[in-house]
Amino acid sequence: MKNNLRDLREERGWTQADLALQLEVSRQTINALEAGRYDPSLPLAFKIARLFGRRIEDIFTDAT
Amino acid sequence: MSQTKLSPPDAAMRRFLIVQFGVLGAFAVVMIAVEAVIPTVKTPWQRWLLAAGPAALLLVWAWEFFRVIRAQDEMMQTIHLRVVATAACLVLLGASLWGIPERLLNAPELPASLLLPIFAFVYGAAWAMTGGRR
C-alpha cells in the first residue's frame, strides 16, 4: 500500500519523532509506514487520518 | 514543532534498555557475591534468603521485559514477538546441544540460572539485527 504520509508530515514541518509522539507509536513505525514497509491497522489508519484532517483513502492508496 | 520528548513506545524502550543494563549487571555482581558468602552461612533460612537475591533480580528483569513489550505499538509488538521466538529457539537449541556431551561425555553442566541472561543477550543481538535496523 502506498501513502503520502511523508509529504503530509513535511508540509507541517514535523520530524518523524514529532509524528510518533502524536500518534503514540515508535519512530521506527513511522519510518516503516513512510517507506511502505508496514501497512497500519485500521485503528491506526483512522488515527493518522484524524490527525491530518483527511480521509484514509486520501492518505493510503492501493498499490495494485 | 520539533520536540525532544519521546513517544510512549520509544520512552518505554529507552527505559527498558537502561533497566536491563542495571539489572543484569547487578545480577552478575550479586551472584558472584552470594556464591562467595553462602558457604560461610550456616542457617538454612539465611542461605535461602541469600539465594533469593539474584532470583529476585531475574524476576525484575522478566517483569520489565513483559512491560516493555506491552508498551510497544502494533508493529513493534509484532517484531518483538518474532525476535523473542527466534532468541528462545536459539537458546533452547544451544542448551540442548550442550546437553548432549553433558549427558554422554560427562561435560560440565550448563548452569540453568544463566539461561535467562543468555536469552537477554541473544534477544538483544537479534533485536539489533532485525528491529533495530528499521
Side-chain angles (χ1 to χ4, degrees):
Chain A
M1 199 159 58
K2 288 181 178 173
N3 68 75
N4 55 0
L5 202 55
R6 187 186 301 270
D7 296 334
L8 291 168
R9 174 177 63 77
E10 287 176 350
E11 273 172 20
R12 286 156 179 79
W14 295 344
T15 63
Q16 287 188 341
D18 294 330
L19 185 54
L21 184 61
Q22 294 188 75
L23 293 173
E24 297 182 316
V25 299
S26 68
R27 194 200 51 77
Q28 288 99 319
T29 299
I30 299 298
N31 192 30
L33 283 168
E34 287 186 356
R37 288 197 308 268
Y38 176 68
D39 293 334
S41 66
L42 209 47
L44 181 56
F46 271 115
K47 207 170 177 181
I48 292 167
R50 266 197 304 271
L51 180 68
F52 289 109
R54 307 282 178 99
R55 294 179 306 168
I56 289 178
E57 56 267 41
D58 294 335
I59 301 173
F60 297 95
T61 49
D62 195 354
T64 56
Chain B
M1 172 185 169
S2 196
Q3 300 170 25
T4 51
K5 203 176 164 195
L6 293 172
S7 66
D10 287 334
M13 181 48 85
R14 189 166 76 167
R15 182 181 174 281
F16 172 71
L17 291 175
I18 295 166
V19 168
Q20 171 171 255
F21 184 76
V23 168
L24 291 182
F27 171 76
V29 172
V30 170
M31 197 71 181
I32 291 166
V34 168
E35 211 166 5
V37 169
I38 218 160
T40 65
V41 178
K42 300 286 177 230
T43 328
W45 70 265
Q46 285 178 326
R47 293 165 74 96
W48 275 99
L49 203 63
L50 278 173
L57 286 168
L58 288 186
L59 288 173
V60 169
W61 182 87
W63 169 259
E64 291 292 337
F65 185 69
F66 288 116
R67 209 174 135 183
V68 74
I69 291 179
R70 282 177 60 91
Q72 295 304 300
D73 61 56
E74 55 186 44
M75 185 193 86
M76 297 305 279
Q77 272 189 354
T78 309
I79 296 174
H80 270 288
L81 294 178
R82 201 179 302 150
V83 174
V84 165
T86 306
C89 280
L90 287 174
V91 171
L92 281 176
L93 178 66
S96 298
L97 288 176
W98 185 303
I100 294 170
E102 187 185 305
R103 188 178 169 89
L104 301 178
L105 306 168
N106 290 326
E109 276 185 31
L110 174 71
S113 59
L114 288 184
L115 283 178
L116 195 65
I118 292 169
F119 168 79
F121 177 79
V122 174
Y123 170 83
W127 173 256
M129 284 189 284
T130 55
R133 72 171 175 224
R134 279 185 181 259

